[in-house]
Amino acid sequence: MTTTTGEYPMQKWVFEDAAGRFDIDLGDSNMIPGRLDQLSVPPGLELDYGHDRGIGALRDRVADLYGGDCASVLITQGAQQALYLVYASLLSPGAQVIVYRPGWQQSWDITADLGCRVDCAPYRDDLTFDVEAAAALAGPGLRLIVANSPCNPTGRRIADSDLKGLLALAERHDAYLLLDEEYALDLRDSPAVGSDRVISVSSLSKVYGFPGLRVGWLYGPPEVVEGCARRKFLSTIANSVLCETLACDVLDHRDRYLRRYTEITRQGLDLVREFAHLNTNAVELVEPEDTPFAWLRLTTGERPLALCRRVLDAGVLLMPGETLGAFDGFRICFARDPGAVAEGLRRLGPLLRPTPQVPPSTGPHGGRNSNLPNGVL
């Protein structure tokens, strides 16, 4: 696969360019990070090797999220490892992979590194998933279709009719549909339940706000779980027993975390909507569907990375489209304290257009280096 000119590595943007230079994080796509003192762990917990597939208590809880069987569950070090294990397990040189772009660069970078033929399907003009375009790309070696719903960075979810179309395409080619469902609020609706062709990936990082636990999972056909578990054992053996036990506590209080998420994102999205309405000559809001972030199309003619660099000078982290395979907008996360969102938008406003005046970084969020990157993505 040929890399599109102008792409910019997210790793470089977050961990090199931005590190220590912002005090308001509207770039990372997760809920406000939780704290250790919110969680509890049984006294006397034995910190042994745990289990290669994850401790049984956590696998049972994840299976309950899907309303399925723990034999279909593999606990991983974040959704990132789950995705990687699927690629490593299912793909071989020469296999075809269809991905959607913009999206998460791992889906086209790692699969290309594995020697696969990677074809990027576009979205429709309204950023819905173009199933016909994916079908037109499909060849006899198709092994995997990768999609993200709700989508990072567009904020749009796959319509039921499009989901059926992608699943039918995978079935016709004896391929798999890999669904990154990090932002799905109810995994009981996942098409991975009861299907031998769909693999779902999620974690505690985004909606729950615990990226630092590095606990994710995949849910899929037992034979896929088996292959991924073998590769996990040969790389990391198992996750941290401590982190997996803390993850059980998070899921035991799932309803509380989801209520908090819903309230915080409601307030933040109202602020972003108002901001977009006041700046219609510079940005166009793509209305998100239950995501903690929104995609803002930039209509000034400026490249997103250039804008985000100037905004970073004002102490605000955004995610330029170039890090996600797009060149016409940027992602802004609003799952933050409303005061931080409002202040970040205040600083962003004067910078949207040419020859901006950088606003001072003052007020309750004005100190630099107080909010280093939480992780990624």
Side-chain angles (χ1 to χ4, degrees):
M1 182 192 70
T2 302
T3 301
T4 303
T5 302
E7 285 186 3
Y8 198 81
M10 184 180 290
Q11 181 181 13
K12 178 174 174 56
W13 173 249
V14 174
F15 292 117
E16 295 181 26
D17 298 357
R21 295 184 56 199
F22 62 90
D23 59 298
I24 295 182
D25 173 11
L26 304 183
D28 287 334
S29 62
N30 54 279
M31 174 62 173
I32 299 171
R35 304 186 314 274
L36 182 60
D37 61 11
Q38 294 175 270
L39 305 177
S40 61
V41 62
L45 175 67
E46 186 174 90
L47 298 178
D48 59 10
Y49 272 106
H51 196 286
D52 62 340
R53 298 191 182 207
I55 60 174
L58 182 55
R59 294 203 310 275
D60 287 343
R61 285 164 171 79
V62 171
D64 285 344
L65 294 178
Y66 290 86
D69 193 286
C70 66
S72 294
V73 175
L74 176 66
I75 306 301
T76 61
Q77 294 194 23
Q80 177 89 327
Q81 188 189 39
L83 292 166
Y84 187 90
L85 290 171
V86 172
Y87 299 143
S89 177
L90 292 183
L91 300 177
S92 57
Q96 184 189 22
V97 180
I98 295 177
V99 305
Y100 281 89
R101 193 203 306 244
W104 173 218
Q105 85 182 78
Q106 185 197 38
S107 66
W108 56 80
D109 275 1
I110 295 299
T111 49
D113 287 347
L114 292 171
C116 297
R117 170 191 166 191
V118 184
D119 291 298
C120 297
Y123 300 99
R124 303 185 184 102
D125 290 342
D126 61 357
L127 295 182
T128 54
F129 287 76
D130 193 333
V131 179
E132 294 76 17
L137 292 170
L142 179 62
R143 182 63 169 159
L144 192 65
I145 302 169
V146 185
N148 177 208
S149 180
C151 177
N152 176 9
T154 69
R156 305 297 301 273
R157 64 176 60 250
I158 303 177
D160 288 344
S161 58
D162 292 334
L163 188 57
K164 290 177 182 177
L166 288 177
L167 179 54
L169 177 61
E171 290 173 340
R172 285 198 303 273
H173 288 265
D174 197 26
Y176 289 91
L177 175 60
L178 174 58
L179 287 179
D180 181 343
E181 297 189 286
E182 276 270 22
Y183 304 97
L185 300 181
D186 190 350
L187 290 169
R188 291 174 297 180
D189 297 330
S190 174
V193 179
S195 172
D196 61 357
R197 289 285 126 190
V198 183
I199 305 156
S200 171
V201 166
S202 192
S203 80
L204 298 183
S205 297
K206 306 301 187 181
V207 172
Y208 296 93
F210 287 95
L213 288 181
R214 307 310 303 137
V215 172
W217 58 80
L218 65 87
Y219 184 97
E223 64 274 13
V224 173
V225 171
E226 176 66 32
C228 292
R230 176 178 174 273
R231 284 161 178 78
K232 178 190 172 186
F233 176 80
L234 293 174
S235 58
T236 60
I237 301 181
N239 285 22
S240 160
V241 170
L242 175 59
C243 289
E244 290 192 354
T245 303
L246 292 170
C248 289
D249 187 67
V250 173
L251 293 179
D252 285 343
H253 298 92
R254 177 176 181 271
D255 289 346
R256 183 180 74 197
Y257 289 112
L258 291 184
R259 284 195 300 270
R260 179 171 176 260
Y261 172 84
T262 300
E263 178 61 19
I264 289 290
T265 54
R266 181 190 64 77
Q267 296 177 66
L269 180 54
D270 285 346
L271 291 169
V272 171
R273 284 171 175 155
E274 180 182 8
F275 174 83
H277 177 72
L278 293 173
N279 293 279
T280 54
N281 62 343
V283 293
E284 175 189 338
L285 172 66
V286 176
E287 190 68 23
E289 298 178 282
D290 294 327
T291 54
F293 56 81
W295 183 249
L296 286 174
R297 286 189 169 117
L298 188 60
T299 59
T300 61
E302 184 178 22
R303 294 298 289 265
L305 183 59
L307 168 66
C308 291
R309 281 174 169 153
R310 291 190 285 105
V311 176
L312 184 61
D313 288 338
V316 179
L317 178 67
L318 301 172
M319 195 58 64
E322 288 91 338
T323 65
L324 296 153
F327 308 95
D328 63 343
F330 58 92
R331 189 186 71 195
I332 183 167
C333 181
F334 47 80
R336 301 289 184 266
D337 177 89
V341 176
E343 172 61 15
L345 293 173
R346 184 196 71 80
R347 297 185 203 174
L348 170 61
L351 300 171
L352 283 173
R353 299 163 188 87
T355 61
Q357 297 298 312
V358 178
S361 299
T362 59
H365 301 282
R368 291 295 179 92
N369 302 326
S370 61
N371 188 13
L372 299 179
N374 320 314
V376 184
L377 321 179

